[in-house]
Amino acid sequence: MRKNKFQEIYQEISAQIQEGVIKANTQLPSEHDLADEYETSRETVRKALNLLSQNGFIQKIRGRGSIVLETNKFSFPVSGLVSFQELSESMGKNSITTVHEFGLIEPDEFLQQQLQTEPEELTWKVIRSRQLDGETIILDKDYFLKKYVPKLTKEIAEQSIYAYLENELGLKISFAKKEIVVEDCTEEDKELLDLDRFEHIVVVKNYVYLEDASLFQYTESRHRLDRFCFVDFARRGR
């Protein structure tokens, strides 16, 4: 059965993007020019562009048209409980962690709700940015209850906190509940991340529990839209 014209346009452009013929961060021709090139209507071209957008090949930006996205994305497992260092090493990525804030705080009302704790319960606050292949594209905001993590240092935070918690403190980290949302970029995001043209950011909220079901950590991991693909594996029950 013959494919629809918009599907043919989608497959041709997506293949050129994946093969590097059309480079990331370049602008596609206008709908009018693409309609002339493919000898079809602008509505057909619009359908092809919508499909490219839905599948992460382009980003439509008001006033700038369709911008080609980086397709070499960093796959982040939704269901797994893996540290950033473990993930970057497993994928062979060059990464740099920068600690922007570190210390003990008394949790505000928001953190009290997230950590299910009291206002006087001292909490470690660790704000770190992650650079991958020369771009700073993740902002991790970690909060650990001091009663479970009595000691933490900036030097540890620059490496792997989970390696320290498990190997040095002997904590048994068991499971996490996760929420994934898209939010407007904050001033902090704009200051600490290389956001390029993006005005929204993917936020993964983690509530992490120990083996005895004690909630000991709340994390917001903030990711630039174009560089991250969140993956999971699902099997239909029989």
Side-chain angles (χ1 to χ4, degrees):
M1 185 173 66
R2 189 177 183 275
K3 294 186 179 68
N4 289 325
K5 183 69 173 180
F6 80 90
Q7 292 174 317
E8 294 178 356
I9 297 171
Y10 163 78
Q11 289 186 344
E12 182 172 327
I13 295 177
S14 63
Q16 291 176 343
I17 292 173
Q18 290 175 303
E19 293 166 5
V21 176
I22 302 176
K23 304 295 183 184
N25 300 314
T26 59
Q27 183 177 336
L28 290 182
S30 67
E31 290 181 3
H32 180 270
D33 289 342
L34 286 171
D36 286 346
E37 179 181 344
Y38 287 98
E39 298 180 343
T40 189
S41 68
R42 291 183 64 176
E43 180 60 30
T44 297
V45 167
R46 193 171 295 120
K47 287 182 179 179
L49 293 177
N50 286 338
L51 197 55
L52 287 166
S53 177
Q54 291 168 13
N55 287 285
F57 290 103
I58 64 171
Q59 173 76 13
K60 291 185 174 182
I61 299 177
R62 188 186 300 272
R64 292 187 59 189
S66 299
I67 306 299
V68 178
L69 299 179
E70 173 63 61
T71 56
N72 180 24
K73 297 188 177 184
F74 189 72
S75 296
F76 197 94
V78 172
S79 59
L81 189 51
V82 182
S83 72
F84 172 81
Q85 186 178 69
E86 291 169 338
L87 192 59
S88 59
E89 287 177 354
S90 71
M91 298 185 69
K93 296 286 186 178
N94 296 318
S95 64
I96 297 173
T97 293
T98 301
V99 178
H100 299 279
E101 289 187 51
F102 174 84
L104 282 170
I105 63 169
E106 292 184 353
D108 59 16
E109 186 174 343
F110 173 78
L111 284 177
Q112 290 170 41
Q113 292 175 351
Q114 306 313 306
L115 288 165
Q116 300 173 19
T117 192
E118 301 300 323
E120 67 275 4
E121 190 74 66
L122 290 178
T123 302
W124 294 105
K125 177 181 180 180
V126 186
I127 308 297
R128 297 177 290 180
S129 62
R130 315 290 199 167
Q131 184 186 105
L132 285 170
D133 298 333
E135 288 189 296
T136 305
I137 52 178
I138 313 172
L139 182 63
D140 283 337
K141 306 174 71 172
D142 295 295
Y143 302 91
F144 303 89
L145 289 174
K146 186 177 185 292
K147 65 181 178 181
Y148 299 111
V149 185
K151 182 181 178 182
L152 194 59
T153 67
K154 184 179 179 182
E155 289 70 29
I156 292 169
E158 289 171 342
Q159 301 301 316
S160 173
I161 293 179
Y162 269 26
Y164 166 73
L165 297 181
E166 294 177 318
N167 301 328
E168 299 295 327
L169 296 186
L171 293 183
K172 303 295 184 181
I173 302 170
S174 182
F175 64 95
K177 293 191 298 183
K178 300 191 178 189
E179 298 177 9
I180 301 176
V181 297
V182 176
E183 298 180 351
D184 292 337
C185 293
T186 65
E187 291 304 315
E188 184 179 43
D189 295 328
K190 295 173 183 177
E191 178 185 353
L192 299 180
L193 296 177
D194 296 327
L195 289 176
D196 195 12
R197 59 197 173 273
F198 295 100
E199 298 179 355
H200 296 86
I201 198 159
V202 176
V203 183
V204 183
K205 300 179 181 182
N206 287 274
Y207 302 82
V208 190
Y209 295 77
L210 299 175
E211 197 171 45
D212 64 358
S214 297
L215 174 61
F216 85 104
Q217 176 191 4
Y218 169 70
T219 295
E220 287 187 9
S221 192
R222 306 176 69 84
H223 302 263
R224 200 175 84 182
L225 282 172
D226 65 325
R227 289 293 306 276
F228 284 79
C229 176
F230 296 92
V231 298
D232 199 3
F233 174 82
R235 187 188 300 277
R236 180 174 169 81
R238 295 289 182 182

